[in-house]
């Protein structure tokens, strides 16, 4: 048998399905194989040339591999034999073997992915339900959303704007919306509101969200998704409204995280 470039076992098919469904920006995601594990994103520190996979087709394949009633095996094996070859997903139990092969695609070389790793001026962990309520209160026709964080009350201020008017929401120091909050100076940036609608699926599935903002206004939201005894993370990174390019990253907790993120390195709290 040919030695695969990548060969790993997914502990839970259902957990991977849940995370993939939270990705709604575009149908094709770039997969990358690192020494630390599998990254459904793109990164400069690559050890094998990245490749593209259809998210919709991948979810369908995982659906075919998902155990039925009475079957106990929820794991599957992922193999990528050679560059430009098929991606194989295999699930075995005592009675069956299910194999799915997917055609891989060339990644878009022009895609520019974003990261928030330096000059962090705001770090906070917020209850996902509180952020979901705030975004739901803002009219979906809003074009511009301003986020303001401060060491003084109100700690967090959101303003949605459109031609019809303004919607304002405030969270004080006494609010239970935040679990942790680190802000030593006034932080205020504006973003395209429509971008936040892409993270609604991840927000609705998560229980907590880590928020980081860099000095130049790059916003990172890291959503923690609980599934049984496992944790998964979906990360969205958004640039300020004067530059509307944005992207998002996704990682399964069963792999060693590749992001320079203290929430990973030191535990979520």
């Amino acid at each position: 048998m040919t030695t695969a470039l990548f060969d790993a076992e997914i502990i839970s098919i259902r957990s991977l399905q849940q995370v993939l469904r939270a990705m709604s920006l575009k149908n094709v995601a770039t997969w990358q194989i690192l020494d630390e594990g599998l990254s459904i994103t793109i990164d400069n520190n690559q050890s094998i040339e990245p490749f593209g996979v259809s998210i919709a087709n991948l979810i369908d394949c995982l659906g075919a591999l998902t155990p039925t009633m009475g079957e106990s095996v929820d794991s599957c094996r992922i193999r990528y034999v050679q560059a430009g070859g098929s991606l194989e997903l295999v699930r075995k139990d005592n009675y069956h073997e299910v194999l799915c092969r997917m055609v891989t695609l060339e990644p878009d070389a022009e895609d520019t992915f974003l990261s928030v790793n330096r000059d962090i001026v705001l770090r906070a962990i917020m209850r996902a339900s509180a952020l979901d309520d705030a975004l739901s209160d803002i009219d979906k026709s809003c074009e511009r959303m301003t986020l303001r964080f401060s060491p003084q009350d109100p700690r967090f201020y959101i303003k949605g704007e459109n031609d019809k008017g303004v919607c304002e929401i405030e969270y004080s120091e006494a609010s239970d919306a935040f679990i942790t909050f680190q802000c030593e100076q006034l932080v205020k940036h504006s973003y395209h509101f429509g971008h936040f609608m892409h993270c609604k699926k991840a927000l609705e599935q998560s229980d907590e969200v880590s928020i980081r903002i860099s000095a130049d206004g790059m916003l990172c939201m890291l959503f923690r998704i609980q599934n049984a005894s496992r944790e998964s993370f979906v990360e969205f990174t958004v640039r300020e409204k004067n530059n509307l390019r944005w992207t998002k990253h996704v990682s399964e907790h069963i792999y060693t995280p590749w992001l320079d993120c203290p929430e990973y390195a030191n535990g979520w709290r």
Side-chain angles (χ1 to χ4, degrees), residues 22-37:
M23 302 178 68
S24 58
L25 177 59
K26 57 184 180 181
N27 184 43
V28 177
T30 301
W31 284 44
Q32 190 170 21
I33 301 167
L34 309 173
D35 292 337
E36 296 85 358

Side-chain angles (χ1 to χ4, degrees), residues 142-214:
C142 283
E143 298 179 357
R144 178 188 181 95
M145 185 170 75
T146 299
L147 305 182
R148 188 182 71 199
F149 296 86
S150 171
Q152 309 296 327
D153 272 343
R155 290 294 184 92
F156 183 32
Y157 167 84
I158 305 176
K159 180 172 71 174
E161 303 174 75
N162 60 13
D163 294 337
K164 299 178 182 178
V166 175
C167 174
E168 298 176 300
I169 303 169
E170 293 184 353
Y171 291 92
S172 68
E173 183 177 3
S175 169
D176 64 352
F178 286 96
I179 298 164
T180 65
F181 189 90
Q182 300 176 33
C183 180
E184 298 181 354
Q185 64 187 59
L186 181 66
V187 178
K188 181 180 178 181
H189 297 283
S190 298
Y191 305 92
H192 194 289
F193 180 68
H195 291 165
F196 288 82
M197 293 298 98
H198 289 288
C199 75
K200 283 287 284 182
K201 288 183 180 179
L203 181 58
E204 291 167 356
Q205 294 181 40
S206 63
D207 61 338
E208 297 178 3
V209 52
S210 167
I211 301 173
R212 291 177 293 150
I213 299 180
S214 64

Side-chain angles (χ1 to χ4, degrees), residues 78-248:
I78 295 182
R79 298 180 75 245
Y80 184 59
V81 177
Q82 61 184 9
S86 299
L87 181 70
E88 298 180 354
L89 296 91
V90 184
R91 184 176 72 86
K92 296 181 180 180
D93 57 29
N94 294 332
Y95 307 100
H96 307 93
E97 177 177 327
V98 182
L99 169 63
C100 293
R101 286 193 178 96
M102 297 182 59
V103 175
T104 57
L105 310 171
E106 289 295 324
D108 189 348
E110 296 182 357
D111 276 352
T112 302
F113 290 81
L114 315 176
S115 63
V116 181
N117 294 324
R118 298 180 180 178
D119 300 325
I120 306 300
V121 294
L122 181 282
R123 295 182 187 273
I125 296 179
M126 190 174 186
R127 301 188 192 280
S129 57
L131 182 58
D132 190 24
D133 290 343
L135 294 180
S136 298
D137 287 342
I138 298 177
D139 193 299
K140 292 181 175 56
S141 64
C142 283
E143 298 179 357
R144 178 188 181 95
M145 185 170 75
T146 299
L147 305 182
R148 188 182 71 199
F149 296 86
S150 171
Q152 309 296 327
D153 272 343
R155 290 294 184 92
F156 183 32
Y157 167 84
I158 305 176
K159 180 172 71 174
E161 303 174 75
N162 60 13
D163 294 337
K164 299 178 182 178
V166 175
C167 174
E168 298 176 300
I169 303 169
E170 293 184 353
Y171 291 92
S172 68
E173 183 177 3
S175 169
D176 64 352
F178 286 96
I179 298 164
T180 65
F181 189 90
Q182 300 176 33
C183 180
E184 298 181 354
Q185 64 187 59
L186 181 66
V187 178
K188 181 180 178 181
H189 297 283
S190 298
Y191 305 92
H192 194 289
F193 180 68
H195 291 165
F196 288 82
M197 293 298 98
H198 289 288
C199 75
K200 283 287 284 182
K201 288 183 180 179
L203 181 58
E204 291 167 356
Q205 294 181 40
S206 63
D207 61 338
E208 297 178 3
V209 52
S210 167
I211 301 173
R212 291 177 293 150
I213 299 180
S214 64
D216 59 358
M218 198 82 76
L219 168 66
C220 168
M221 294 179 290
L222 184 69
F223 299 92
R224 186 179 72 173
I225 299 175
Q226 302 272 23
N227 187 330
S229 61
R230 300 182 180 89
E231 293 180 345
S232 302
F233 298 91
V234 177
E235 181 183 88
F236 288 78
T237 307
V238 188
R239 280 182 176 169
E240 226 179 336
K241 191 178 185 298
N242 56 9
N243 191 330
L244 301 184
R245 300 193 66 178
W246 79 298
T247 187
K248 60 183 176 181

